[in-house]
Amino acid sequence: MTTLTFDQLETLYDELATAIDQAGPQRESVFLSKLVLCMAHEWGQGNRISALIGQCLNEATPCPGAQRLL
């Protein structure tokens, strides 16, 4: 498994922010849920996705490399 550079993460952050804005406040949570489920399906790593969900809920342990984005 490869990791993304900070520049790649920043680009994805910008794309995600734009998509969230396009979804609008009423559909934001549905959009994000669908995105995570699609990613989990494509990666085939449900346990890893579950771990990341828990990690992202705990702001004390942000995702490595994403600290400057948040």
Side-chain angles (χ1 to χ4, degrees):
M1 180 195 235
T2 61
T3 59
L4 300 175
T5 66
F6 178 78
D7 288 340
Q8 290 171 317
L9 285 173
E10 196 166 38
T11 297
L12 288 173
Y13 180 88
D14 291 342
E15 290 176 16
L16 181 59
T18 299
I20 290 170
D21 288 345
Q22 288 176 350
Q26 302 237 332
R27 294 187 53 223
E28 176 181 328
S29 61
V30 171
F31 163 73
L32 291 172
S33 296
K34 288 168 82 174
L35 176 61
V36 169
L37 291 174
C38 286
M39 292 167 75
H41 176 73
E42 185 159 323
W43 293 340
Q45 296 181 0
N47 290 340
R48 181 64 182 135
I49 299 297
S50 292
L52 289 170
I53 290 169
Q55 183 177 349
C56 290
L57 280 174
N58 180 1
E59 291 184 33
T61 57
C63 301
Q67 295 175 0
R68 291 177 33 205
L69 293 173
L70 303 174

